Amino acid sequence: QSSSASMGMLIALASQGLIPITAALPILYGENIGTCVTSLISSIGASRNARRAAIMHLTFNVLGSVIFMFILSKPIIAIVTAIDPTDAARQIANAHTLFNIINVIILLPFNKLIVKLALKLVPETKGEQDDDSKVVKYIDDRMIETPSIALANIVKETLRMGEKSKESLNAAMDGIVDKSKEKIELSFKREKLINELQKLILNYLLKLSKASLNEDSRDTVDALFNTVNDIERIGDHAENIAELAQDIADSEMSFSDVGIGELKDMYNKVVSTYTYALEAMRTSNVELACKVIKMEEQVDMMEKSCRSNHMNRLNSSSCSIESGVIYLDIISNLERVSDHAVNIAQQVIAGRIVNK
């Protein structure tokens, strides 16, 4: 279970002349497999990603041991013997170092295949993908000991939160257009999940900020604090629209066909802007992030046009005052969503969020 402890015992035996290098190497390779037990045990009851990480650790060491046992064993013995002809303990220590270095060099190009194997061994069912019973999906406090993995996972969790905000916004607008109470309730349900995610992600970011991070990773953590809040604010605007949809359903008021058409056009532009912002964050695509800023300018123009056209309808008495106020609130909330999308895109443009 502990390669360090067993290596110490092996070196002690070799230093007393009780075991030669040829007999020590198979034990050395076995130790590197045995040390995977720790991660396998710690993954019991953990998230699927934690179990996949343990499987990848085991796969990596098993493959390395097979390669060294059947292909590289004689070359390794020749190298360590040439470096230190008489000291068996030093030969074993050097062999252990070479095993780990060469193993990484050989298997690193195949890391995607190892990941695919882990995904196949620990698959995710469709039902689990859609399950909201677990608030968080990717983050695990045990991963903070490996900051690079923890950072990649928190970016994924933030993107997942972003998708939940989009789902809430979609449901809220469907509630406006279709007067669907089911969609309105779905939007409220998503908003509660978004608020829980915000608290858990911010708490995790705070813990991660105290870990050993390089300068770029620390910039990403700092940027994610802002991005999580932007996503939560988008959820708030979706909730505002859902509340307006509920008012419309309760009072049985309606908008003109022209007004509904303008709302749909603006909404589609806003959702596209937000979707591109999330995709820019997911892929670290600066060009796409710049496109978000240009699209937001179009949203601003659409908001002004919708406001002006609606005031004309109010003046011509083709729309009631009550529905007019709600209409203006809707387009105001939609415009604010695009503003937060720009904030997300600007973090990508500044190079502060780099998803590796």
Side-chain angles (χ1 to χ4, degrees):
Q1 185 175 335
S2 171
S3 62
S4 299
S6 50
M7 265 299 295
M9 294 164 64
L10 192 61
I11 289 173
L13 289 169
S15 65
Q16 297 300 315
L18 299 175
I19 188 167
I21 184 66
T22 51
L25 284 183
I27 299 172
L28 185 153
Y29 302 144
E31 290 168 358
N32 282 280
I33 295 174
T35 194
C36 299
V37 170
T38 307
S39 59
L40 289 169
I41 291 173
S42 67
S43 71
I44 296 172
S47 67
R48 286 185 173 271
N49 277 332
R51 279 178 278 168
R52 288 179 187 131
I55 290 293
M56 285 189 286
H57 186 206
L58 177 63
T59 302
F60 184 85
N61 282 353
V62 168
L63 289 174
S65 296
V66 169
I67 292 169
F68 274 76
M69 272 294 296
F70 297 104
I71 300 173
L72 298 178
S73 188
K74 288 184 178 180
I76 288 295
I77 291 174
I79 292 170
V80 298
T81 303
I83 294 173
D84 229 315
T86 58
D87 191 343
R90 175 52 58 190
Q91 290 171 4
I92 293 171
N94 288 338
H96 188 225
T97 301
L98 287 171
F99 172 85
N100 286 287
I101 294 173
I102 296 172
N103 198 17
V104 170
I105 293 170
I106 292 172
L107 294 179
L108 187 60
F110 303 99
N111 57 21
K112 290 184 180 179
L113 293 176
I114 295 173
V115 169
K116 285 182 180 179
L117 177 62
L119 290 171
K120 190 171 183 179
L121 293 173
V122 188
E124 185 172 56
T125 64
K126 183 65 170 68
E128 288 165 333
Q129 290 173 351
D130 298 334
D131 183 21
D132 286 332
S133 59
K134 290 186 177 180
V135 180
V136 294
K137 181 177 179 181
Y138 296 106
I139 59 177
D140 189 319
D141 282 352
R142 286 169 288 192
M143 289 296 177
I144 292 178
E145 294 180 8
T146 312
S148 59
I149 296 176
L151 183 59
N153 285 347
I154 198 67
V155 171
K156 288 181 181 178
E157 198 70 66
T158 303
L159 286 166
R160 176 172 171 265
M161 179 184 173
E163 292 297 332
K164 297 300 177 186
S165 287
K166 188 164 73 171
E167 289 174 15
S168 180
L169 183 61
N170 288 336
M173 281 305 298
D174 286 343
I176 294 281
V177 176
D178 303 331
K179 296 183 180 179
S180 168
K181 291 189 176 181
E182 183 182 346
K183 292 292 185 180
I184 294 168
E185 284 302 316
L186 176 60
S187 181
F188 289 143
K189 182 181 176 181
R190 285 289 180 268
E191 170 58 14
K192 289 180 181 178
L193 176 61
I194 291 161
N195 288 337
E196 289 183 64
L197 276 168
Q198 181 199 27
K199 292 176 185 176
L200 292 170
I201 291 174
L202 290 179
N203 185 49
Y204 194 84
L205 284 170
L206 187 60
K207 293 177 183 176
L208 186 56
S209 67
K210 297 175 183 177
S212 177
L213 298 168
N214 60 37
E215 188 175 345
D216 290 340
S217 296
R218 195 162 296 281
D219 282 345
T220 299
V221 169
D222 292 342
L224 285 172
F225 276 105
N226 295 324
T227 298
V228 168
N229 287 327
D230 278 310
I231 291 172
E232 192 277 332
R233 288 296 298 141
I234 288 172
D236 287 343
H237 290 300
E239 184 183 33
N240 292 343
I241 293 172
E243 289 172 350
L244 294 170
Q246 197 164 48
D247 291 341
I248 292 171
D250 292 341
S251 62
E252 297 184 354
M253 70 176 69
S254 60
F255 299 125
S256 66
D257 291 341
V258 175
I260 286 291
E262 290 177 346
L263 272 183
K264 286 181 178 179
D265 288 342
M266 182 175 177
Y267 164 71
N268 288 334
K269 180 65 72 174
V270 168
V271 168
S272 295
T273 303
Y274 181 40
T275 301
Y276 283 141
L278 292 178
E279 186 60 25
M281 179 181 167
R282 182 179 286 107
T283 59
S284 302
N285 191 325
V286 174
E287 185 178 345
L288 195 57
C290 291
K291 185 176 181 179
V292 170
I293 294 176
K294 291 179 181 178
M295 290 177 71
E296 197 276 333
E297 293 172 359
Q298 296 172 10
V299 171
D300 287 344
M301 289 188 287
M302 292 178 78
E303 193 263 348
K304 290 176 182 177
S305 176
C306 287
R307 191 177 293 275
S308 176
N309 292 340
H310 192 65
M311 294 307 296
N312 291 334
R313 287 193 292 272
L314 283 172
N315 291 332
S316 63
S317 300
S318 59
C319 179
S320 68
I321 297 294
E322 187 178 8
S323 63
V325 171
I326 289 179
Y327 184 92
L328 294 174
D329 282 344
I330 294 169
I331 62 174
S332 178
N333 277 284
L334 287 175
E335 192 276 331
R336 289 295 297 144
V337 169
S338 69
D339 287 343
H340 289 292
V342 166
N343 291 343
I344 296 170
Q346 285 175 336
Q347 298 287 4
V348 176
I349 294 169
R352 301 190 70 200
I353 298 181
V354 180
N355 190 14
K356 295 181 180 179

